[in-house]
Amino acid sequence: MTVRITGRDRRARPAAYAAFAVQGLCFASLVTQVPRIQKAHQLSDATLSLVLLTVPLVAGLGSVLAGAAFARVGSGPVLRVAQPGVCAAIVLIGTTGDADVPLYAAVALFGLFVGAVDAAMNAQGIAVERRYGMSLITGCYAVWSVAGILGGLWASLSNRIDLSLPVCFTAAAAVGLAGTLGTGHLLYGRHEEGDGPSAEELKAAGRRVPWRPILVVGTAMAVAYLADAALSNYGAKYLDDELSGSDWVAPLGYVAYQIAMVVSRAVADFGVRRSGAVRVVRVGGAIGLAGMAGVVAAPNAAVAIAAFAVAGLGLSVIAPVSYSAAGKVDPTGLGVAVARVNVFNYVGFVLGAAVVGAIAPIDPDHGLRLAFVVPTVLVLLVFVTARGFDPVVDGKARPGAPAMERPAV
């Protein structure tokens, strides 16, 4: 069947890319400045862990609320409201001075809007993919990572030239706001996104999707995102506090991590087609384990930054292949298995923030190094679960369709 691409589709596609870019830019601009936020508010490590844990917890609520609104208005209007909210929230975080209560409120607001944008931008990306009749969602996430790299570099430059946090965040937010306001009107409307399955269809489909293979690949997914949350939320603080990196060096760990993820995901599909998902996951797990071990053992910031890149190179392949494996065990084609696996994304991110946040305060000098041991050891579970990435249902593997993936918050 020939797919007819219209001018409307060609306008909606860059608008979807812009949404991913703005999200990546704002998120990176914020997480790479965690050490400066902590110093400005004189937060203890325990308090900081609670602040960081707020984001994924509230983001889950934002995602649910956004999903409920899609049926009424579509994802486009939700995105056009929530994404400027993300931009405004990072400005508020930067302008809270040393007042703690406004900081907590601003961080919660950031989490709420981030969750809504996560759901809405993915819905738009999938709508574009459906209209084009080919896999495009990976490109959306590549744009997210590239924008994240730019956000990390901007944070590094801001610290190098000694810009204040309000100026740093306002500049990033202004670019993001221009992007979302300039392209928001090009997003698909509700009637253009297409109708999804009914509640009755999803309930019936849920009974046909087996849980065991979902739990196997979901475990690997949770481990990957646990490590991702640890490196994203605490990487800059680790370089700054425990490895004596300067303020402008601290964001570069995140930058190296994201660059490696772009490179790895650009070639991962070829590896799966050539050698199979199981081997790709095992190789990715081995590389990720080496990178995490390097982060733990790093004697200085330069070595740690290199180790961040190695970790990103390996761990980045696990999530996309998890979604693909889930698609193979879903006999309905309605995305039930993919939705179930996606839950492990949030589980991993919440656990990452919680585990590192709980362990880090134990030792003021080496707490984060000690905390990073936990995700490093857990990466071994990737090898235990690797066989599950080539599931067999009713005697044969079922080819899976391209699936939706979410980035680290």
Side-chain angles (χ1 to χ4, degrees), residues 57-359:
L57 289 175
V58 179
L61 173 62
S63 183
V64 170
L65 293 176
F70 291 169
R72 292 179 175 272
V73 300
S75 62
V78 172
L79 187 55
R80 295 180 69 179
V81 171
Q83 194 142 64
V86 170
C87 299
I90 66 170
V91 173
L92 289 176
I93 291 171
T95 55
T96 54
D98 58 359
D100 290 346
V101 173
L103 173 67
Y104 304 149
V107 167
L109 193 65
F110 175 77
L112 187 69
F113 284 130
V114 160
V117 171
D118 273 349
M121 74 182 186
N122 275 300
Q124 285 290 315
I126 293 299
V128 170
E129 186 174 77
R130 186 184 302 118
R131 296 286 286 261
Y132 271 76
M134 60 181 179
S135 177
L136 293 172
I137 197 69
T138 301
C140 291
Y141 281 92
V143 170
W144 188 94
S145 291
V146 170
I149 293 166
L150 296 176
L153 290 174
W154 166 241
S156 175
L157 176 62
S158 297
N159 294 348
R160 179 66 173 174
I161 61 179
D162 202 26
L163 287 182
S164 67
L165 280 178
V167 173
C168 174
F169 288 156
T170 299
V175 173
L177 192 62
T180 190
L181 294 181
T183 60
H185 65 287
L186 301 176
L187 296 166
Y188 283 130
R190 179 178 177 276
H191 66 285
E192 296 172 302
E193 292 184 68
D195 295 324
S198 66
E200 292 75 16
E201 289 174 319
L202 286 174
K203 186 176 180 179
R207 291 192 290 268
R208 298 175 60 195
V209 176
W211 267 105
R212 186 179 182 280
I214 300 300
L215 291 173
V216 172
V217 298
T219 298
M221 165 85 87
V223 167
Y225 274 103
L226 193 157
D228 180 270
L231 296 179
S232 297
N233 287 336
Y234 290 94
K237 178 175 168 57
Y238 180 53
L239 294 175
D240 188 11
D241 289 359
E242 297 189 15
L243 297 180
S244 301
S246 59
D247 284 346
W248 71 271
V249 170
L252 297 182
Y254 184 86
V255 171
Y257 180 65
Q258 289 295 332
I259 290 174
M261 292 184 80
V262 172
V263 172
S264 183
R265 286 176 173 171
V267 300
D269 284 338
F270 297 103
V272 171
R273 289 196 290 266
R274 181 179 178 86
S275 304
V278 173
R279 180 170 294 180
V280 167
V281 168
R282 284 175 175 164
V283 171
I287 296 172
L289 179 61
M292 291 300 299
V295 171
V296 171
N300 55 53
V303 173
I305 290 171
F308 270 65
V310 175
L313 202 64
L315 296 176
S316 62
V317 304
I318 296 172
V321 185
S322 296
Y323 287 113
S324 179
K328 293 178 181 179
V329 300
D330 188 345
T332 70
L334 295 178
V336 174
V338 169
R340 288 178 180 176
V341 167
N342 195 53
V343 172
F344 290 89
N345 167 354
Y346 287 96
V347 169
F349 204 87
V350 170
L351 287 177
V355 168
V356 178
I359 296 175

